[in-house]
Each structure stands twice: as structure tokens, then as C-alpha cells.
Amino acid sequence: DTMVGVCATTLKQQYCPKTKDSHLPSQRMVHKMGINSVLATPILVNGSKFAGAVLVSSVKEDAFQECDRMLIQDIVSMLAAHIYSKRMRKAAEESNKISREMLHAMIPAKVIAKIETFWDKNSDDYKSRRSSTESITVESTNDSTSDKDLDDSINDNGERTASSRQLNRQSSTLNEKINLLNQINGDDDRDKAGFIVDMSSIEIGSSVNRALYAENVENVVIIFTDIVGFSKMSLCMAPLEVMDMLQALFFRFDALCDKHGVQKLETIGDAYICTANLFDEDQFGGNVKEAALSALNMAKDMVLVTQEVILPGRISQEKDSLFGKLEIRVGMHVGAVTCGVLGERLPKFTVFGHNVNLAARMEQTCKPSKIRVSEALHSLVVDDAEEDWDECEVVQMKNMGGCKTYILDPYSSHNFF
């Protein structure tokens, strides 16, 4: 019933030269107000999406000539382009924020800088790896071609040339991926209008045969936790209740990581894994003793805050229920680990090695609401931790034999150091 409504339907400019003769009731009403001609121009975002209209009226009849209507159409088109640009900028900012959060969930921000250094051709680390690889390749080539004739040698040279071209292509691809990582990781969205990352199809891993980043790190404190009786408990709960419970628990653990300067590594089902002293830039500055003390405080807090998570009513109040409250087990160890980024699609930063496995075994053999630590970690904190440790216990670990361990009850003392 209005010219704006007609614009929204037709997506075309509408002109009423004489409002008194219009078939639209709204135009005949404005004629009574002294308006005799009306021009309505739709605002089309991205060429086809109606976002409103610009109305221009006059007391004169047939006041707008064709050149006037074309000029107004051009002005409104520029307005639509400006609106579209602002929407794209907002969409880009939101996309970049989500992309960074997804990226950091897979690869910590501190690791992204390490990846760039890892592939910097001017770095000593890169030169050392490259020379080591070339040395192995040359020795292998010499052994394989020692008894070949000239034709085989020429063929081998051709293969090496092709291999060299392949390595150059891989190097170029890696540089592109590292640039993409830095672009996503940047905090400034002002220069990213129109840059929207499709994280559903992103591939930021390396080539099939080479890791994007790898490193051996000494004196890393590892914490493993899991929920006591989680498998049986989850059978009695709806899926949403399980997820809500884990969210409530892990939300508290994430806050404790910030409080104690501990790096969250990953969650696997009900298991929560974190580390301290993994990165040189950590607040501990390589001081493994300080890292161990902070990690132990973190572990004690984790046991205590678990009590804050409320189980569903029917689980905690059910007759003969084994789950009166939520409890976790905690295992800790300190030692060298291998860390790196693995995978092509949805790559993941991870740590592994004997010491990681030993920390997991500490957790698996621990008692509910207690902390089991290895002899190595106990020796670091025993002089500074005013705690009542249980006597040393030798526990048989799977594939590891007997290991000296110590148990700590977080409820036995509140003297956190």
C-alpha cells in the first residue's frame, strides 16, 4: 500500500509525478498535506538485498526529471555500497575472532611464533636440520649409485632434480601456510575487511612427510586428571547433562590455569591435561622448581573446585548411588617431552614421550580426590611444600615396572605456597 512496499517487492525505483492521481491510498493522503510528487529509491545491499528506501518529495507536480532520478539513484547506490562495506567489515571482524579462537584451541599462540622460527631459513635451527637431511641424502645416494653405469647416474640426477623442485614447492607452500597462521593470529582486525576465513576447510598442516613444528623440551611439569567413575556415571545421565557437567568442571580448570600460570594442553573425554614450563616465555622463566610448585598448587585447587560441580539430582540422591559427589584423580610428573604440531586437516599441538606416559600412569593409579606424584617431582617441591606427604610407595606401572611415588591429600592442609 506504500511506495516503499512496492520498492521492496520490485527492487526498482518508483516515481509518482502526481500524488492526487495515484492508485496508492498513502500517496493520495500525502497529497492532502501539500505534497504532489514523490520519488522512492530502494537501497540494495550487494545488488539484490533490500535494506530500505530513500524518499524524496516535492510540492510541485512532476518535479523530478529523468536526469534527477538517475542522480538520486547513483547517490543511493553509493549509500548501499557503504552499508555493504560496513557489514562486510563487521562480518570479517567476527570471522577473524572466531578463527583465532579455533586456531588457538588447536595451536597455542606461543607455538605459532615458534613455527615461523622453525622454518626461517636464516635460523641456526633450520640450517642444522637442513644440513643433517642433506648429509643423509648424499650418503644414501652415494651408496645406491656406486655400482651403477652412466645412464643410471644421469637418471638419478634427474630424479634428484625433480626431488629438489618438489622440496622447493613444499617450502613455498609452507611459507604460505605460515603467513596464513600469522594473519589469523593477528589481533588487529582493522586491516582485514573482507578477509573471512573458512575454518571448516582450512588446511594449515605441513606436507605429508614433514611436521609443521617439533621440539624437545626439558623439565616440563605434566598434570593429568580424570573423573572417578565417569564411564558408569555417564550411562545414568542424558548426553546434555554429561556435557553440562564437563563444561562446568573444565570452565573452573581453565580459570585455574590463568591463576597459576599453567598451560592447558587438551581435553580427551573426561581427562584434562595441562603443563607448566613448556614454553620459554612462561612466567617461570625456565625455573623448574617454581613451575613445579605452581603446578602442585594448581592440582590441589583442581581437586577442591571439583566439589563445586553439582551432579544431576537423580544421580546424587538415588538410593545406593555410588556418586554422592564428583571427584577426580590427579597424576603429576616432570621431565623431558617431545612437542609439535601434527596433522594436515585440523592440526593439533601435542606432547608425547615416556614422561607424558608416566604422568598418565600416576593419575591412573591414584586414589579419588588425591594427587599422586613421581619421585622426580616430589624431590623438587618437598623442601618448600609444607604438606603431609604419605610414605613413599612403589607402584607397578604398566610397561614401566616399579616406580617410587608419593600421595598428597589436598584436604589435609590449606597452607598453599
Side-chain angles (χ1 to χ4, degrees):
D1 293 338
T2 65
M3 290 188 68
V4 173
V6 176
C7 284
T9 303
T10 64
L11 302 182
K12 293 181 179 180
Q13 190 180 64
Q14 303 295 317
Y15 180 44
C16 180
K18 296 181 180 180
T19 55
K20 66 179 181 179
D21 299 332
S22 176
H23 67 284
L24 296 174
S26 60
Q27 296 304 302
R28 294 194 296 270
M29 288 181 61
V30 298
H31 170 70
K32 297 178 181 180
M33 301 168 58
I35 298 174
N36 292 303
S37 58
V38 177
L39 177 67
T41 305
I43 303 173
L44 302 179
V45 176
N46 199 22
S48 61
K49 189 172 182 180
F50 181 78
V54 174
L55 291 175
V56 184
S57 60
S58 175
V59 295
K60 294 182 179 181
E61 291 186 352
D62 199 10
F64 304 101
Q65 303 302 313
E66 184 177 358
C67 59
D68 298 325
R69 297 197 295 269
M70 292 179 62
L71 177 61
I72 293 174
Q73 179 71 69
D74 290 342
I75 294 173
V76 173
S77 296
M78 288 189 288
L79 174 62
H82 178 67
I83 294 173
Y84 179 68
S85 176
K86 290 183 68 175
R87 289 184 178 181
M88 285 297 295
R89 182 179 293 276
K90 182 178 180 180
E93 291 174 354
E94 293 175 353
S95 172
N96 295 330
K97 181 180 178 181
I98 294 171
S99 298
R100 275 197 302 273
E101 291 175 351
M102 292 180 66
L103 176 63
H104 292 168
M106 299 182 292
I107 307 174
K110 295 175 182 178
V111 176
I112 295 175
K114 288 180 175 288
I115 292 174
E116 186 172 11
T117 303
F118 189 76
W119 291 105
D120 182 1
K121 294 182 178 180
N122 296 320
S123 69
D124 293 336
D125 183 51
Y126 180 88
K127 292 176 182 178
S128 175
R129 295 198 317 275
R130 185 63 181 268
S131 61
S132 175
T133 303
E134 289 178 347
S135 175
I136 295 173
T137 303
V138 169
E139 291 177 3
S140 175
T141 302
N142 289 338
D143 291 341
S144 62
T145 62
S146 59
D147 298 327
K148 290 184 178 180
D149 57 18
L150 181 60
D151 291 338
D152 290 336
S153 179
I154 294 174
N155 182 59
D156 182 62
N157 288 333
E159 290 178 353
R160 277 185 284 173
T161 301
S163 177
S164 177
R165 287 197 297 267
Q166 183 181 4
L167 286 174
N168 288 335
R169 286 195 299 270
Q170 290 179 352
S171 177
S172 176
T173 302
L174 280 169
N175 289 333
E176 292 175 0
K177 291 174 179 177
I178 291 170
N179 290 336
L180 177 60
L181 285 175
N182 290 329
Q183 197 170 14
I184 300 173
N185 187 50
D187 291 328
D188 191 359
D189 292 324
R190 289 176 297 179
D191 299 328
K192 296 182 181 178
F195 175 74
I196 301 180
V197 180
D198 180 8
M199 291 297 289
S200 66
S201 61
I202 191 170
E203 293 183 1
I204 53 179
S206 66
S207 61
V208 174
N209 298 320
R210 308 181 74 180
L212 191 60
Y213 159 72
E215 183 180 8
N216 289 325
V217 184
E218 301 289 334
N219 299 323
V220 177
V221 183
I222 309 128
I223 304 175
F224 270 80
T225 77
D226 81 341
I227 297 174
V228 178
F230 176 77
S231 297
K232 294 181 179 179
M233 186 187 305
S234 59
L235 293 175
C236 306
M237 301 168 63
L240 184 58
E241 291 177 331
V242 175
M243 297 304 293
D244 285 344
M245 180 186 70
L246 291 177
Q247 172 63 20
L249 182 63
F250 293 162
F251 173 80
R252 289 168 168 78
F253 289 176
D254 289 347
L256 291 178
C257 284
D258 294 334
K259 174 183 176 181
H260 295 287
V262 173
Q263 174 71 45
K264 176 184 178 180
L265 190 62
E266 62 181 329
T267 60
I268 305 174
D270 64 314
Y272 190 99
I273 309 166
C274 50
T275 65
N277 206 42
L278 180 59
F279 302 114
D280 296 335
E281 300 83 0
D282 281 347
Q283 67 184 51
F284 309 111
N287 187 328
V288 62
K289 189 170 186 176
E290 182 180 346
L293 289 170
S294 292
L296 186 58
N297 265 339
M298 166 84 176
K300 294 197 293 184
D301 276 349
M302 292 172 88
V303 174
L304 296 177
V305 300
T306 299
Q307 305 294 312
E308 300 174 3
V309 179
I310 301 174
L311 289 170
R314 71 173 186 277
I315 299 297
S316 58
Q317 298 174 9
E318 186 177 327
K319 185 177 180 181
D320 300 328
S321 173
L322 299 176
F323 312 111
K325 60 181 180 179
L326 194 65
E327 294 183 284
I328 61 170
R329 288 182 291 260
V330 183
M332 299 180 64
H333 179 53
V334 60
V337 302
T338 299
C339 62
V341 177
L342 300 176
E344 177 76 8
R345 186 65 65 96
L346 292 179
K348 181 71 176 177
F349 175 76
T350 186
V351 302
F352 51 90
H354 169 79
N355 291 308
V356 177
N357 294 336
L358 184 54
R361 298 288 188 272
M362 292 291 155
E363 174 267 312
Q364 292 164 7
T365 59
C366 189
K367 301 174 182 178
S369 295
K370 300 291 193 300
I371 304 169
R372 186 184 292 278
V373 305
S374 64
E375 183 180 28
L377 191 134
H378 180 262
S379 63
L380 285 173
V381 301
V382 65
D383 293 333
D384 296 270
E386 298 178 2
E387 303 292 339
D388 296 327
W389 295 90
D390 288 354
E391 293 294 328
C392 176
E393 179 183 1
V394 177
V395 179
Q396 294 297 319
M397 304 288 182
K398 182 179 178 181
N399 299 327
M400 296 182 181
C403 297
K404 291 184 178 180
T405 68
Y406 295 83
I407 288 284
L408 179 64
D409 182 357
Y411 293 98
S412 66
S413 173
H414 296 288
N415 296 320
F416 285 23
F417 32 89

